[in-house]
Amino acid sequence: MAKIGPCGLLHHTAPMAPNLKLHIPPRTAPLKTKNSAVSFRCATADPTSTASSSVLQLQPDQEGFGFDDFKHYMASKAAAVNEALDRALPLRHPERLHESMRYSLLAGGKRVRPVLAIAACELVGGDEAAAAPVACAVELVHAMSLVHDDLPCMDDDALRRGRPANHVAFGVSTALLAGDALLALAFEHVARGCTGGGSVPAERALRAVAELGNAVGAEGLAAGQVVDLASEGAAVGLATLEYIHVHKTARLLEAAAVCGAIVGGGTDEEVESIRRYARCIGLLFQVVDDVLDVTRASEQLGKTAGKDLAADKATYPKLMGIDGARAYAAELVASAEAELDWFDANRAAPLRHLARFIAYRQN
């Protein structure tokens, strides 16, 4: 029987049961009446189809903040983040290093992590200006992780976001140093941005720095990457798979949301509820990635499709089947949304839609 912990570790003791049950740890305050109206159906799995072939298909709801509003929200926040990132990393000497950094940082993408930081800050009553430094920082860390992840000694991928990976365009040595520099700049940006203007108290800035550092290091992204590399070609169960992705993927999304809530002045209880929400959508992001990897073509994904299968790596579809992975994704969406039920509905709407956006994205 499989038992799933708090938006996290799925403990596997026998073949996967068809009905998954996600358990959320008890909270100290009662939830308000739930207002989620999301329902799901499975999508087709034709990698050559140009029609919608997302992991989950969302049925329209009747909320005042609709999906068109969410698309505008995402676009406006992502545009602001792109401008801030461009300002944060001007082209200067040595040009080759900065070109490499900018090549990956400004390559586009959905900007889910910085938008998550901003939305979490706004959820607890903060404003976008307070969240901007941590929003940029998490994207700097994310860019570093992609540069390093693609290196020959890691996942060895030559394609990223539809164009040559950084080490292919600039060479392995420059790509490695560009990743290092992006990581350093992330922490510098939080420290300077949060404290320079006085909009965020120093204590909150320090907590955000500690949260982000933990997410990247030996208890976060690095841990997940090491276990991932060690697991290639090995018989890996669901518990190990979830350990990898809680640390390698979910932890940075979690840190983005938590840092946003911290600088926005959230209470300890609010921060932990947002942490649980983000842990769920972090795992959801990976489950969806794994399904898309075997149901979409490289041209549609902007990266090499089927690479995990070719490397004999454990994935959710491999261990649970595509239908089982989709069922788990639906559980994660429901659990994520449940964590938002005790917040103001209007402020929570972007995060509610973000969970759904991740669930039925197509690349």
Side-chain angles (χ1 to χ4, degrees), residues 75-340:
S76 64
K77 301 300 185 187
V81 168
N82 287 335
E83 292 177 5
L85 290 171
D86 189 32
R87 292 193 302 269
L89 185 57
L91 187 61
R92 58 178 61 157
H93 182 76
E95 289 190 1
R96 181 73 172 173
L97 174 63
H98 286 83
E99 286 172 354
S100 176
M101 295 168 70
R102 288 173 59 87
Y103 179 85
S104 292
L105 182 65
L106 304 178
K110 295 173 280 291
R111 304 304 192 203
V112 168
R113 291 156 190 84
V115 172
L116 179 57
I118 294 168
C121 181
E122 293 175 337
L123 179 64
V124 298
D127 58 29
E128 185 174 342
V134 294
C136 289
V138 294
E139 194 65 10
L140 285 160
V141 171
H142 178 54
M144 173 280 296
S145 73
L146 298 183
V147 173
H148 284 182
D149 203 45
D150 290 339
L151 290 171
C153 62
M154 296 292 183
D155 281 2
D156 192 16
D157 205 330
L159 187 67
R160 175 66 66 179
R161 288 175 174 163
R163 61 180 187 167
N166 196 295
H167 69 276
V168 175
F170 293 90
V172 172
S173 298
T174 299
L176 179 63
L177 292 169
D180 293 343
L182 286 166
L183 181 60
L185 180 58
F187 289 97
E188 178 185 352
H189 195 75
V190 172
R192 292 184 185 279
C194 283
T195 60
S199 60
V200 176
E203 182 270 338
R204 293 182 193 173
L206 286 172
R207 286 178 62 196
V209 167
E211 180 71 29
L212 189 58
N214 180 269
V216 181
E219 296 181 21
L221 192 154
Q225 182 70 36
V226 164
V227 177
D228 189 24
L229 291 170
S231 300
E232 288 188 13
V236 172
L238 283 166
T240 300
L241 181 65
E242 294 255 307
Y243 178 90
I244 291 168
H245 294 310
V246 162
H247 293 79
K248 185 178 176 180
T249 304
R251 186 65 186 91
L252 187 56
L253 282 152
E254 180 183 322
V258 169
C259 286
I262 288 172
V263 299
T267 66
D268 289 345
E269 186 176 39
E270 288 173 333
V271 169
E272 290 310 307
S273 188
I274 289 168
R275 183 187 298 281
R276 289 190 293 268
Y277 161 87
R279 174 71 62 89
C280 288
I281 68 165
L283 283 172
L284 173 66
F285 201 97
Q286 188 61 51
V287 174
V288 171
D289 248 14
D290 283 358
V291 173
L292 292 175
D293 187 60
V294 295
T295 61
R296 303 286 278 176
S298 297
E299 295 76 16
Q300 296 165 314
L301 295 177
K303 59 183 179 180
T304 307
K307 188 168 62 70
D308 289 343
L309 184 64
D312 195 27
K313 294 179 70 171
T315 65
Y316 287 100
K318 181 179 179 180
L319 297 184
M320 304 169 71
I322 291 179
D323 287 342
R326 286 176 172 146
Y328 186 29
E331 290 279 354
L332 289 167
V333 174
S335 297
E337 291 202 45
E339 292 298 331
L340 302 176

